[in-house]
Structures are given as C-alpha cells and as structure tokens.
C-alpha cells in the first residue's frame, strides 16, 4: 500500500492497473502522448441511404457490440431517464455478457441495473456516482472488481488519455435527423444542454442516437454532428423532462436551509469578489437555488452584473440572465425545462461540452476562469476534506459530479451544508471518503456560522468580520455538532475488499471505498 498526499492508503495496483496516489491539486502533468482516439475511419457513400435502424436490437447488432466491451450513456435526463434500462434489456436479450457500464452518472432511477449485474450482463462499472439500491449493492460487494469513480472533468481526461475506451455510446437526444445530427433543445422531451453526450459522441468507437422526435434533415441546432454518429433509433419516449430536476430543482421554505443560503450569500457579498464582472457557479438543490435568489437581490440592489454563470443551469440562474444581471451562461447541463428552453432561444446561453468545462488537462477549461462556486458535501472533517460519496453507514449514495473540479480551480469555493443531518454530525474528525481535498476549500457555511480555511484563504476571515456572520474554527463546529448529536460509532468495513476507487481530477487516486459489513 502507498500513502497519498491526504494520508489515505492506496493499493499499488487494481484491476491489473498501476495506481498513481494523489499528490496535490496541480502536482501531476499529463503523459507526453497524443489524445487517444478509439474510432476508425468509416466509409458512407450516397447510395447507402440514411442511418435509421428499426429498433434497439438492430442498432446493437449494426455496431457489433460483443461480450467484454464498454458501453456509455449520458445522464442529462437524470431521474427522468427512459433510455438506459431499455438498451440493457435489448442487450440482455441478445445474450451479450461481461460488459463495462461507463455512463457519465447514474441516479436512483437506475436501481434495476443491479439485476443486470446479477445475471452477468454487466461485470464492471465506471461512473461519477452511485446511489439507491445500486449503491447499496456495490457497497456490499456485488462486483468482483472495484468501481472507478471520476469527476465530470476527469472522465473526459480518462477518455482522452485512453484509460476509458467506449465501444458503443447510446445517447438519448430530444431531436435527431435521419443522418445523425441532434439536439437536446427541441422535441417532445427536451433535456437542454448535451454537454456530457457531446464528449461520448466525439470519442466513442460507435455512436447510437436514440430519439423520440425524428425531424427532417438537417436537424438544428446541431449539438451532435452526423459525422460522429453510426445509427439512429426512434423510440416512443427517451425520457421525462419533468423529472430532470426531481428533488433538486425546488424552492425551499425550510428555515434552516434559508439561513444557510443567507449566510452563504453574505460570504459572497463580503468576499471581495462580488464586484462588476464576477463569475459564479451555484448548481442546483434547495440551498443553491435559495443562494441564487438571495444573490440576485444583492445584484439588483447594488447594480452588480456577473460576466458569466457556469455548469448545471436551472431556472433561477436563467431568470437572472434574462434580466441582464448575468451576461452569459455556459451550460453543461440544464436542470429543468425552463433552462432547457432558454438554451435554444439565446445565443448568449451557450451549450458547453464537459471537457471544455472542467478537464484539467484540456489546455484551459472554463472553471479556471471561475471566481465563486457553491458546493455541498455529505460530511467534512476538521482539515476541510469533503466527502460527497458515502453516507453515514458507509454506503455509496452520492456522486462526485463537478465538485472537486470546481473547488480545485475557483478563486473562492464555498461548502454550504447543515451542521447536522438528523442525528448525524456533518463536521467530523475524519471523513469516510475524501473526494475533495481540504486544500481546495475556502470555507464551510452552516446554519450556525462559518469556518474559514485560513491556510488557503488568509484574508477571508478579516473580510467576513464586517459581515456580522459568526466565525468559528472547524474544531469548534465539530464540537458543536457533537454536543447536539453525540459522537457516531465508527463504520465497520471489510478492509480486505475495496469496492470503489475515487479518482481526483488528474486521474490519481485520492481514496478508496471498502466493503461495508452488515450492521
């Protein structure tokens, strides 16, 4: 075992691959090698007709999917996805086994993936996160080899480095034409930005588009280009737009969440970065949406305009853009139908591919230009390390998303989270799983007050003294939480079996997740 820069023990090799221990936020450089291409040149003459296949089975046969290959999907529809499971059903019916499933992420709606693992259709997973029954099954050791968990930016890096080779990408698109031009903006079930899908379309060896809205040639706007697409399948429904923001894109009236949001907004206001032309990523969820609304009030009152907002975009950011308080939006994902619709109608609301957004080795990604990001975590420790993957029982129940990417690059990264959740403290001595190193975090904001990481941001404490916010150390917040909840019992793990490895955004290993033992 090797010890990495955040003092976690990392095996030297997993799945016959030599692992690189995490060494620091910008310690590694990419290998001196060309960007990997897994795609062959392909010939299509005018007499070959269109690319339409009659159903999923015909499409799978046409691209030559075989045992042992790697398949991918995008998660733009989140809990409204109606594509992953039908494709897996068609694959199973063809008797294809031993696949690696490597989507951009998986949500609760993908719980039935467990059944495809049990019957051997899927034997390996690579994703941004795991939740629900699938996360529980993986945590209990259902897979022989560990899952590889990557941030959104790191996934693109891994594809370009040849570490993740996708044989077939199955991509749900809201509209497509017979030759494979596609968009997420128009159709019966729109999902807006196709930032995740654009990467897979560009690099997968074969690309199957799945749509429920076939349009006349050429489809426009074009987010996925015909030259990247092998075939198109028309189905009854690819997803439910109304469920994209289920549970996340909601306005809260919870007093605790509103207090966290108000405290977070004050941190922004007094940070020294809330000036004309600033940039921000707020994300989605009850607290981030409330922060966006509070921040909008400050922007109107003080007549301050943002140069751009970035990342996953919801209605609250979209409205500030339409009011003129945010000049441009760089959208990787659209979190609701309002943001999806707005993407199509404004040239300053810009669809952004995931690598452009956050690939650390992409020759300059958007988050390098980001002033302020609002993030959250399941727990943090007194060294500001963040866990966004494993719950209080040790089971996988979250996703890395773009959190570690943004925290590592933004000038001010704010963790907004409750001090306790139920009877569980959120600030602890040592987090279960390190996903974002504490060196990337400027401060944590709770309903009780704020703790500043003075090692990263020595000037912030003095600025916040003028805000009226209560300031604590992380040790004080931890002790406050423990007085309210008591100290939780340690989680019982089987240290002989690793169920997941957690990559930092440069591909090094920042932590591993062990098999949980029955309670």
């Amino acid at each position: 075992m090797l010890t990495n820069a955040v003092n976690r023990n990392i095996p030297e090799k997993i799945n016959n691959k030599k692992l690189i221990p995490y060494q620091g936020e910008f310690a590694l450089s990419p290998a001196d090698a060309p960007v990997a291409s897994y795609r062959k040149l392909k010939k299509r003459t005018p007499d070959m007709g269109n690319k339409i296949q009659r159903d999923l089975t015909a499409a799978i046969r046409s691209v030559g999917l075989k045992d042992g290959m790697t398949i991918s999907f995008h998660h733009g529809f989140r809990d409204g996805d109606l594509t992953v499971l039908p494709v897996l059903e068609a694959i199973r019916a063809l008797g294809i086994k031993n696949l690696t499933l490597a989507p951009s992420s998986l949500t609760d709606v993908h719980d039935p993936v467990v059944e495809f693992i049990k019957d051997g259709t899927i034997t390996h997973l690579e994703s941004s996160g795991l939740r629900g029954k699938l996360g529980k099954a993986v945590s209990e050791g259902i897979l022989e080899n560990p899952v590889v968990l990557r941030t959104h930016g790191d996934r693109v890096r891994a594809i370009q480095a040849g570490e993740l080779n996708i044989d077939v990408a199955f991509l749900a698109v809201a509209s497509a034409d017979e030759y494979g031009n596609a968009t997420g903006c128009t159709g019966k079930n729109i999902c807006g930005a196709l930032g995740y899908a654009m990467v897979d379309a560009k690099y997968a060896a074969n690309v199957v588009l799945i749509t429920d809205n076939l349009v006349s040639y050429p489809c426009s706007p074009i987010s996925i280009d015909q030259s990247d697409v092998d075939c198109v399948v028309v189905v009854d429904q690819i997803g439910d737009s109304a469920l994209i923001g289920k549970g996340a894109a909601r306005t809260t009236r919870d007093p605790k969440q509103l207090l966290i949001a108000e405290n977070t907004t004050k941190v922004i206001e007094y940070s020294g970065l809330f000036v004309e032309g600033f940039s921000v990523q707020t994300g989605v969820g009850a607290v981030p949406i409330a922060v966006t609304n509070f921040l909008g009030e400050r922007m109107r009152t003080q007549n301050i305009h943002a140069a751009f907002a970035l990342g996953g975009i919801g209605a609250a950011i979209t409205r500030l853009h339409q009011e003129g308080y945010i000049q441009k939006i760089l959208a990787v994902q659209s979190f609701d139908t309002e943001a999806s619709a707005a993407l199509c109608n404004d040239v300053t609301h810009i669809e952004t591919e995931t690598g452009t957004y956050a690939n650390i080795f992409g020759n300059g990604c958007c988050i390098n230009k980001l002033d302020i990001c609002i993030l959250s975590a399941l727990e943090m420790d007194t060294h500001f390390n963040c866990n966004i993957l494993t719950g209080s029982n040790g089971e996988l129940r979250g996703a890395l998303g773009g959190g570690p990417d943004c925290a590592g690059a933004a000038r001010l990264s704010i963790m907004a989270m409750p001090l306790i959740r139920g009877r569980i403290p959120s600030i602890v001595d040592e987090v279960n799983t390190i996903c974002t190193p504490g060196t990337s975090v400027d401060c944590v904001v709770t309903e009780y007050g704020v703790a500043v990481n003075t090692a990263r941001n020595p000037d912030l404490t003095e600025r916040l003294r003028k805000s009226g916010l209560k300031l604590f150390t992380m040790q004080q917040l931890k002790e406050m939480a423990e007085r309210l909840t008591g100290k939780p019992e340690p989680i019982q793990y089987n240290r002989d079996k690793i169920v997941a490895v957690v990559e930092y955004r440069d591909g090094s290993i920042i932590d591993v997740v062990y098999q949980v033992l029955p309670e």
Side-chain angles (χ1 to χ4, degrees), residues 419-492:
L419 187 68
I420 60 172
R421 290 184 171 90
R423 298 295 300 169
I424 305 296
S426 299
I427 312 291
V428 296
D429 287 316
E430 188 174 340
V431 293
N432 290 328
T433 309
I434 297 179
C435 305
T436 302
T439 50
S440 295
V441 179
D442 291 273
C443 65
V444 57
V445 182
T446 74
E447 67 273 34
Y448 289 89
V450 179
V452 174
N453 186 355
T454 53
R456 172 176 160 102
N457 196 330
D459 299 330
L460 186 59
T461 299
E462 200 54 41
R463 290 198 179 101
L464 295 185
R465 290 195 196 285
K466 303 169 187 172
S467 70
L469 288 165
K470 294 180 180 177
L471 302 179
F472 300 95
T473 65
M474 284 295 269
Q475 182 67 26
Q476 288 173 322
L477 285 180
K478 189 211 74 154
E479 291 171 358
M480 191 185 303
E482 287 180 352
R483 283 197 294 273
L484 294 169
T485 66
K487 198 165 186 173
E489 293 294 322
I491 299 168
Q492 298 301 309

Side-chain angles (χ1 to χ4, degrees), residues 94-342:
L94 289 168
I96 299 170
K97 298 278 190 179
N98 193 26
L99 296 178
T100 291
L101 175 62
S104 53
S105 198
L106 293 164
T107 68
D108 288 340
V109 75
H110 301 119
D111 279 351
V113 167
V114 173
E115 302 306 316
F116 296 94
I117 294 174
K118 287 180 178 176
D119 69 15
T121 305
I122 296 167
T123 52
H124 183 56
L125 285 173
E126 303 194 11
S127 178
S128 171
L130 300 171
R131 301 176 172 88
K133 293 179 181 177
L134 179 58
K136 179 178 177 62
V138 170
S139 300
E140 292 174 347
I142 192 173
L143 288 167
E144 180 179 347
N145 293 314
V147 173
V148 178
L149 297 171
R150 297 187 176 98
T151 70
H152 291 329
D154 183 40
R155 182 173 186 269
V156 183
R157 180 211 59 78
I159 291 171
Q160 293 184 338
E163 297 168 16
L164 173 56
N165 296 317
I166 300 168
D167 292 289
V168 185
F170 295 93
L171 304 177
V173 292
S175 291
D177 63 41
E178 63 182 31
Y179 232 49
N181 298 298
T183 178
C185 284
T186 62
K188 295 182 288 186
N189 295 288
I190 61 173
C191 62
L194 289 173
Y196 306 112
M198 292 160 77
V199 175
D200 292 33
K202 189 181 297 182
Y203 292 103
N206 299 280
V207 175
V208 177
L209 293 189
I210 303 169
T211 188
D212 53 15
N213 190 50
L214 188 68
V215 299
S216 59
Y217 183 90
C219 172
S220 66
I222 297 175
S223 298
I224 293 176
D225 184 285
Q226 63 188 44
S227 62
D228 291 324
V229 175
D230 293 274
C231 61
V232 180
V233 181
V234 182
V235 298
D236 291 337
Q237 188 174 3
I238 55 168
D240 185 344
S241 304
L243 297 179
I244 293 175
K246 177 187 174 186
R250 68 185 192 280
T251 302
T252 184
R253 294 182 179 177
D254 182 290
K256 183 164 77 173
Q257 292 179 332
L258 289 172
L259 184 54
I260 296 169
E262 175 59 29
N263 289 347
T264 303
T265 308
K266 281 187 179 178
V267 170
I268 296 172
E269 187 177 11
Y270 286 88
S271 67
L273 297 174
F274 185 56
V275 295
E276 184 72 14
F278 77 108
S279 57
V280 65
Q281 174 170 322
T282 57
V284 74
V287 171
I289 290 173
V291 171
T292 305
N293 291 331
F294 288 142
L295 190 62
E297 292 173 5
R298 305 295 207 281
M299 293 167 76
R300 295 182 190 96
T301 303
Q302 301 180 38
N303 196 30
I304 290 176
H305 303 79
F308 68 90
L310 176 64
I313 301 299
I317 286 287
T318 300
R319 290 168 194 162
L320 281 174
H321 177 232
Q322 291 168 340
E323 287 181 48
Y325 286 99
I326 296 175
Q327 294 173 12
K328 294 183 180 178
I329 289 177
L330 297 167
V332 179
Q333 181 180 7
S334 305
F335 279 131
D336 50 49
T337 52
E338 188 171 336
S340 298

Side-chain angles (χ1 to χ4, degrees), residues 20 24-35 153-158 160-161 163 203 354-365 367-368 405 504-508:
I20 300 172
E25 291 162 299
F26 296 100
L28 293 186
S29 297
D32 185 17
V35 172
D154 183 40
R155 182 173 186 269
V156 183
R157 180 211 59 78
Q160 293 184 338
E163 297 168 16
Y203 292 103
T354 321
T356 305
Y357 165 58
N359 181 1
I360 190 173
F361 296 151
N363 201 15
C365 52
I367 56 175
N368 288 355
D405 296 317
Y504 186 62
R505 54 192 303 239
D506 60 6
S508 62

